[in-house]
């Protein structure tokens, strides 16, 4: 199919892009990597009046690593996220998770901001942003605000971003002592969205979990933080056998609303969540990040 008619605009600066977004009354779709928007346009599931191309906004791309945080520009390509040496040392879960998104060709075009704003319920980087406690910077003409990742995803393909705003950057805090692991089960040879994915973070004291952060994708109408599973994981140490994590896995499933579709039932997705959560937790408790 071909897209419905639309007006194409290419912004040269961030201020120009925000000015174009500002006036109400017209549906405007920002275009970043286009790996999600273009198929939706072709299928006519998206029918904006204007497509606003952001690819000239190089000011929104880049990765800054400090002692307290990693700040990633919204237009940073997933390939750059995957290959950044400083990021591999500071927050290795980010490049490792980026490397699991789709195919290499897609990662060369797809952007972090585009992935998060598309807000697919099964998106790997959305779950990772939740587990890491990321904050998202949103800019409009004349103002800026930050939104915690837990408040950003509001439903399937819906976010807290307003129509006159652009996501400009994402800040991922570096929590002392924390290490993270992302695990998932995908279909189509690992190239598609996961059926279920989980990002687990732990901070150990005296060999046992003192604090945990857990988020999952593919288990509800949006990526979810799982506080019940975090509490259940506290106190576990390297001596814990895989089977001993059943209480943690059950708490994780209890905090979700898995969908049933042609790829699997809600019960099947619950079993997958148990499996990937155990895999990630055992790895962190016995081998590290």
């Amino acid at each position: 199919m071909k897209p419905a008619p639309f007006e194409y605009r290419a912004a040269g600066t961030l201020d120009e892009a925000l000015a174009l977004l500002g006036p109400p009354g017209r549906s405007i779709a920002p275009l970043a990597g286009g790996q999600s928007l273009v198929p939706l346009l072709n299928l006519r599931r998206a029918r904006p009046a204007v497509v606003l191309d952001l690819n000239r906004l190089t000011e929104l791309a880049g990765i800054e690593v400090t002692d307290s945080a990693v700040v990633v520009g919204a237009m940073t390509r997933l390939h750059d996220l995957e290959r950044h040496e400083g990021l591999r040392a500071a927050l290795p879960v980010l490049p490792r998770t980026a490397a699991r998104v789709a195919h290499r060709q897609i990662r060369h075009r797809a952007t972090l901001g585009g992935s998060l704003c598309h807000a697919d319920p099964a998106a790997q980087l959305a779950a990772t942003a939740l587990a890491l406690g990321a904050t998202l910077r949103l800019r409009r003409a004349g103002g800026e605000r930050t939104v915690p990742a837990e408040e950003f995803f509001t439903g399937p393909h819906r976010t807290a971003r307003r129509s006159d705003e652009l996501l400009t950057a994402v800040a991922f805090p570096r929590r002392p002592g924390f290490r993270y692991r992302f695990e998932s089960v995908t279909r189509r040879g690992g190239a598609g969205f996961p059926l279920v994915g989980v990002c687990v973070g732990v901070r150990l004291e005296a060999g046992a979990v003192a604090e945990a952060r857990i988020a999952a994708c593919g288990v509800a109408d949006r990526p979810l933080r799982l506080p019940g599973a975090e509490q259940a994981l506290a106190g576990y140490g390297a001596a814990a056998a895989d089977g001993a994590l059943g209480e943690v896995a059950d708490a994780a499933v209890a905090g979700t609303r898995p969908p049933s579709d042609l790829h699997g039932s809600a019960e099947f997705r619950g079993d997958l969540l148990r499996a990937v959560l155990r895999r990630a937790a055992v790895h962190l408790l016995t081998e590290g990040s």
Side-chain angles (χ1 to χ4, degrees):
M1 295 181 66
K2 294 182 178 180
F6 61 83
E7 179 185 351
Y8 171 82
R9 301 290 297 271
T13 66
L14 177 58
D15 287 341
E16 182 183 348
L18 295 175
L20 290 168
L21 284 175
R26 301 185 77 189
S27 60
I28 302 177
L31 172 68
Q35 303 307 294
S36 300
L37 178 60
V38 171
L40 292 175
L41 291 171
N42 287 335
L43 291 170
R44 300 200 174 194
R45 293 176 61 184
R47 294 170 176 253
V50 180
V51 170
L52 176 58
D53 193 339
L54 307 177
N55 281 275
R56 297 179 185 175
L57 305 186
T58 56
E59 61 202 281
L60 298 187
I63 299 169
E64 179 185 4
V65 178
T66 70
D67 291 339
S68 60
V70 169
V71 180
V72 183
M75 287 297 294
T76 303
R77 311 290 172 178
L78 300 191
H79 172 78
D80 296 327
L81 202 64
E82 175 186 355
R83 299 288 181 177
H84 193 277
E85 291 296 334
L87 189 54
R88 288 180 178 182
L91 272 178
V93 70
L94 273 178
R96 289 175 183 171
T97 304
R100 301 177 76 152
V101 176
H103 296 285
R104 181 179 302 173
Q105 295 92 329
I106 288 176
R107 295 196 297 273
H108 273 274
R109 290 298 306 164
T111 64
L112 175 63
S115 176
L116 296 180
C117 288
H118 183 59
D120 192 284
Q124 302 98 317
L125 288 166
T128 303
L130 281 174
L132 268 64
T135 56
L136 295 91
R137 299 176 184 175
L138 297 167
R139 181 89 173 267
R140 61 181 174 83
E144 185 178 56
R145 65 185 178 119
T146 59
V147 178
E150 289 186 59
E151 298 175 13
F152 186 71
F153 305 103
T154 60
H157 305 288
R158 295 199 303 273
T159 72
R161 184 185 74 85
R162 299 165 184 158
S163 61
D164 63 345
E165 291 178 321
L166 285 178
L167 175 62
T168 58
V170 185
F172 299 92
R174 299 179 63 183
R175 300 175 186 274
F178 260 87
R179 53 196 188 190
Y180 300 88
R181 181 81 175 179
F182 182 86
E183 292 284 351
S184 64
V185 175
T186 60
R187 54 189 185 270
R188 293 188 296 166
F193 280 114
L195 290 168
V196 168
V198 67
C199 186
V200 180
V202 297
R203 180 176 60 83
L204 303 181
E205 288 183 1
V209 176
E211 187 179 359
R213 297 184 63 89
I214 303 173
C217 55
V219 295
D221 65 349
R222 70 199 74 181
L224 292 178
R225 178 107 177 264
L226 302 177
E230 294 172 352
Q231 295 169 13
L233 187 56
Y236 277 95
D242 187 359
L245 292 169
E247 175 189 356
V248 181
D250 289 344
V253 173
T256 65
R257 302 180 297 277
S260 291
D261 57 25
L262 58 87
H263 300 294
S265 66
E267 182 180 6
F268 174 64
R269 279 190 165 83
D271 289 341
L272 289 182
L273 177 58
R274 288 184 173 91
V276 295
L277 177 57
R278 284 194 181 103
R279 189 189 308 164
V282 167
H283 182 95
L284 290 171
L285 292 174
T286 60
E287 302 180 42
S289 60

